[in-house]
Amino acid sequence: MKPLHIILSVIGGAVAGAAIGLLMAPEKGETTRNKIAQILKDKGICLKKDKMEELVDEIEDQIEKHI
């Protein structure tokens, strides 16, 4: 594996882990989505609202598959 792939994998894993952690938190969905969006913005990743909804839905689907 190239070093760049390893770095991107680590960053992707960290973002996914943070998103899953936030999704499992006992807060309203809108609050959780706003927090995920803020974390991504802090990392320099800007997503439109519809793309953010798709990301959250995909993460929720993956969580449901593994429960």
Side-chain angles (χ1 to χ4, degrees), residues 14 18 29 50 54:
D50 60 331
E54 288 177 22

Side-chain angles (χ1 to χ4, degrees), residues 2-4 9-11 16 20 24 28 37 41 43-46 48 51 54 56-59 62-63 66:
K2 294 182 182 178
L4 180 60
S9 297
V10 169
I11 292 171
I20 290 171
M24 301 302 284
K28 292 173 62 175
K41 284 179 186 175
K43 302 272 185 205
I45 302 169
C46 294
K48 292 182 180 178
K51 293 291 183 184
E54 288 177 22
V56 172
D57 290 341
E58 184 177 328
I59 292 170
Q62 291 297 319
I63 291 171
H66 289 43

